Amino acid sequence: MTSTWRVSKPARWRWLVLVCALALAASACGGGDDDDAGGGVAAEATAAPEASSGDDGASAPSDDDGGDGQPAPDDSGDEGGEAPAATAAPETAATEAPAAEMEPQYGGTLVMGLEAETTNGLNPVNAQAAVSGHILFRALYDTLTIEGVDGRAVPNLLESISPNDDFTEWTMTLPPGITFHDGSPADAAALKRHFEEQLRGTLTGISVRSWEIESIEIMDDLTIWMVLAKPFAALPEYLTSHLGYFGAPSMHDLGADAARNPIGTGPFMLDEWIPNEVTRMVRNPDYWRTDAEGRQLPYLDALEFRPNNDSDARYAALRSGDLDASVDNTGIRVDDYNEQFKTFWQGEAYEEPTYLMFNHSRAPFDNAEFRRALAQCTDRQTFNTIRWDGQAPATGPFSPGTPGYLEDSGFPGFDPDAGRATIARLGVTDVELGTTTDPANLLNTELLAAMWGDCGLDVSITQVDQAELITNAVIGNFTAFLWRNHPSFHVAAERIWWHSEFGQGIALNFGRINNPVIDAALDESLTTDDFDRLTELAEDINRAFAEEVHNIWFYFSNWLIAAHDHVHGIDNLTLREGQEHVKVLAGRVFLTEAWIEQ
């Protein structure tokens, strides 16, 4: 459903601050809605927690779903050759308290609340997965690699992954004895098929085609050799997420039916999916992984995921005991969650920014002068105080502690007189803002519209449902709306979102940004694993974003998983040789070692 209405000038917006504050106060007591969530959609993020608690797993660093400023992968000491080492790694904050000495118990069903449904299915090749979708995928599939705490992607399901000297050839080896849910072998032939299917995908293909694969050869039963036409140093980072969820050949043979019949190697198997109600998974009895003590995983008999885009409803369901755990990305209940539940927070580094994304292919947003004027007309500190518990406005796409972060990027400050003068000179009188049907997202957009009205603009607001918003982003059918993305674990991982190569037609560069400085930096990021150089490239990108005001940055999302005291092991994952992964990365968690006190 689509609806459009207008906020007329010269609507003074100061009154809306009080209205928003009152609305959010009521929401905090149970009643509104906060988050948007859809394939990277922003609606809400959270303020940094005052305290984090939890009992499972060692201290873990902050997280995010990408991999910014980090070097080429390491091979975990496994056979298959050495990958170049990083020269440095970002510091990350702890997300959990030290583990209590408790013996895990087998059995039980963990019921978890999610912020959205993955409506187009559970085949990673075609799914438009937001955070909720990735949580589902991490239960059904194993990622080929994973984000390590030293700022480097390391093998997860893969036993090893290693490049040649110029990153144009990659050797990947799987461990022996792993099977898919249907009993078929997870071998080199299946891995080759995995990349071929990703290449055919409507959206995944856009990314994989950019690797310029020349050939994939099967070297033995468990090893493939991939040859590229150009360097691609960030390949391991790309396999930590969507492109790394390893599905069975038999699933791909199902065609469109694969969306409802996922077949992975993961700890759980799909039992039932009733869209917008429940996704139930049961224990994979043949799962390959054990915990640090050699105990077979997973511990749980089953998982039940219940989607609800109303964060207040999820909070109420958690308090009532209808949920054992829930994901949240809001900044107005930090103390409530910390005081009432066991909380697993994302750290400061690799946080996703929430920002206003412009469609650079549409007037007047194709004009950098106009975009700068809008930034000057936007009181971001007031917006963050109302919507995000007072976090200082972001200076760019990289959060503190993330390579590329700059305290002062040159992004324009609040200067409504200058913005109003530029808008008047340019002769722009009308603009459109898009949002979802979520009441909280509408409130965000109304606040922006009122601020811009104070600078002489008539602002119309168009509402669509979340799925349509994502589709509109892909095809370019929008003007401007709030978005959430870019954890930037490795700067090259953001290439598909920011490079002009991906800004045409069906695009992953949703904003259709075309900036030669950003393009050059992203291109070079594919050729090196030098951490210092990657950091410099990310800083160049940050300044270029500020100079051209490609987006208006608001705040950084701080994800958490809240759970009752009987829930343990959230996002624990035993890796080879005692390695650790970044926890609660952009809200994406593993439930492989989760367990419940019976």
Side-chain angles (χ1 to χ4, degrees):
M1 182 183 75
T2 301
S3 61
T4 302
W5 56 283
R6 181 172 296 276
V7 176
S8 60
K9 64 182 180 183
R12 310 298 288 183
W13 59 271
R14 300 293 176 182
W15 64 270
L16 195 56
V17 170
L18 178 60
V19 174
C20 289
L22 293 174
L24 290 174
S27 174
C29 297
D33 184 302
D34 296 65
D35 217 328
D36 190 346
V41 176
E44 210 140 2
T46 145
E50 293 182 7
S52 88
S53 64
D55 69 345
D56 303 298
S59 294
S62 93
D63 41 50
D64 240 15
D65 64 352
D68 219 17
Q70 101 192 25
D74 117 25
D75 65 358
S76 295
D78 296 313
E79 296 179 4
E82 295 184 359
T87 58
E91 295 183 2
T92 50
T95 58
E96 300 177 29
E101 295 298 326
M102 299 182 67
E103 188 81 6
Q105 298 177 24
Y106 284 92
T109 298
L110 177 69
V111 182
M112 186 171 185
L114 300 180
E115 63 171 4
E117 178 64 272
T118 304
T119 55
N120 64 338
L122 302 174
N123 175 8
V125 173
N126 297 313
Q128 295 176 359
V131 172
S132 299
H134 285 285
I135 293 174
L136 299 176
F137 288 164
R138 290 187 176 209
L140 294 166
Y141 306 93
D142 292 296
T143 56
L144 294 173
T145 63
I146 194 170
E147 299 89 348
V149 296
D150 63 351
R152 312 196 314 171
V154 299
N156 183 28
L157 179 63
L158 287 176
E159 187 173 81
S160 65
I161 176 170
S162 57
N164 64 350
D165 290 341
D166 67 357
F167 307 104
T168 59
E169 300 176 9
W170 288 90
T171 302
M172 302 177 218
T173 300
L174 290 159
I178 295 179
T179 59
F180 292 104
H181 297 156
D182 63 355
S184 61
D187 57 12
L191 187 57
K192 182 175 185 288
R193 176 74 179 275
H194 167 81
F195 288 112
E196 292 169 344
E197 292 296 331
Q198 295 281 3
L199 186 60
R200 295 187 187 104
T202 302
L203 296 181
T204 58
I206 296 173
S207 177
V208 177
R209 280 193 295 274
S210 72
W211 304 356
E212 298 186 21
I213 298 174
E214 290 189 337
S215 64
I216 302 175
E217 297 184 27
I218 295 176
M219 307 303 291
D220 59 37
D221 288 348
L222 298 172
T223 303
I224 66 168
W225 179 42
M226 181 183 293
V227 179
L228 310 176
K230 64 180 183 182
F232 203 86
L235 180 61
E237 157 31 51
Y238 273 63
L239 304 183
T240 63
S241 186
H242 216 98
L243 300 179
Y245 296 122
F246 190 25
S250 57
M251 179 185 75
H252 300 308
D253 290 339
L254 296 173
D257 290 339
R260 298 194 65 92
N261 295 277
I263 305 172
T265 62
F268 296 93
M269 306 180 294
L270 183 65
D271 179 52
E272 180 182 41
W273 178 31
I274 303 175
N276 298 307
E277 291 187 23
V278 64
T279 300
R280 177 178 170 82
M281 302 179 190
V282 295
R283 184 177 189 269
N284 175 5
D286 300 315
Y287 189 52
W288 60 278
R289 197 189 303 263
T290 60
D291 68 11
E293 303 301 321
R295 293 176 290 236
Q296 181 65 42
L297 295 170
Y299 304 121
L300 293 167
D301 285 338
L303 298 170
E304 285 189 8
F305 297 101
R306 298 179 184 174
N308 190 327
N309 66 2
D310 186 332
S311 63
D312 294 309
R314 293 197 308 275
Y315 176 74
L318 188 63
R319 289 190 64 186
S320 70
D322 289 342
L323 299 176
D324 297 304
S326 182
V327 62
D328 202 73
N329 183 229
T330 62
I332 57 176
R333 285 204 180 95
V334 172
D335 292 337
D336 290 341
Y337 275 115
N338 283 340
E339 292 169 3
Q340 298 182 44
F341 305 104
K342 180 185 301 182
T343 55
F344 304 85
W345 287 94
Q346 173 177 349
E348 187 176 55
Y350 310 134
E351 292 181 321
E352 296 172 301
T354 285
Y355 59 97
L356 189 71
M357 181 165 63
F358 300 122
N359 186 344
H360 291 63
S361 68
R362 289 194 176 188
F365 301 106
D366 58 348
N367 185 329
E369 265 197 290
F370 179 71
R371 297 194 299 268
R372 177 172 291 273
L374 283 184
Q376 292 170 327
C377 289
T378 305
D379 187 345
R380 296 184 295 140
Q381 184 60 71
T382 295
F383 185 95
N384 287 4
T385 298
I386 296 301
R387 300 304 295 143
W388 200 241
D389 203 24
Q391 183 184 131
T395 61
F398 308 113
S399 64
T402 305
Y405 169 75
L406 294 171
E407 186 173 346
D408 182 5
S409 64
F411 192 85
F414 181 51
D415 188 351
D417 290 337
R420 188 181 303 111
T422 299
I423 290 171
R425 177 171 55 80
L426 295 174
V428 180
T429 59
D430 301 272
V431 294
E432 178 189 352
L433 271 175
T435 188
T436 70
T437 54
D438 182 327
N441 292 343
L442 177 59
L443 196 61
N444 288 337
T445 308
E446 288 174 334
L447 181 54
L448 291 177
M451 290 179 181
W452 294 359
D454 216 23
C455 274
L457 291 170
D458 283 340
V459 183
S460 60
I461 296 175
T462 299
Q463 291 183 271
V464 299
D465 65 34
Q466 180 177 297
E468 185 177 350
L469 187 75
I470 299 169
T471 300
N472 288 345
V474 172
I475 65 176
N477 184 27
F478 73 97
T479 52
F481 50 64
L482 289 171
W483 202 255
R484 182 191 65 210
N485 199 1
H486 316 305
S488 301
F489 184 71
H490 190 300
V491 65
E494 305 300 339
R495 189 171 182 272
I496 59 173
W497 307 118
W498 296 337
H499 197 287
S500 62
E501 176 183 348
F502 304 97
Q504 304 294 323
I506 297 177
L508 296 180
N509 175 355
F510 300 141
R512 277 68 180 171
I513 296 168
N514 188 343
N515 187 312
V517 174
I518 293 175
D519 283 358
L522 291 171
D523 287 341
E524 186 179 342
S525 73
L526 297 180
T527 68
T528 181
D529 68 342
D530 181 82
F531 186 84
D532 291 337
R533 182 54 183 158
L534 288 167
T535 299
E536 291 172 354
L537 294 172
E539 291 173 351
D540 289 344
I541 290 170
N542 201 345
R543 294 187 187 95
F545 265 106
E547 182 177 354
E548 294 296 315
V549 194
H550 289 304
N551 300 316
I552 296 179
W553 310 104
F554 290 101
Y555 50 77
F556 292 104
S557 297
N558 193 288
W559 286 91
L560 85 151
I561 306 296
H564 288 284
D565 287 341
H566 62 268
V567 178
H568 305 273
I570 295 289
D571 212 18
N572 283 359
L573 195 68
T574 300
L575 303 180
R576 297 179 180 88
E577 299 187 357
Q579 293 175 315
E580 293 288 334
H581 74 288
V582 177
K583 299 286 185 76
V584 198
L585 181 58
R588 306 173 185 188
V589 294
F590 292 92
L591 300 175
T592 309
E593 298 189 24
W595 60 278
I596 295 176
E597 290 182 56
Q598 306 297 309

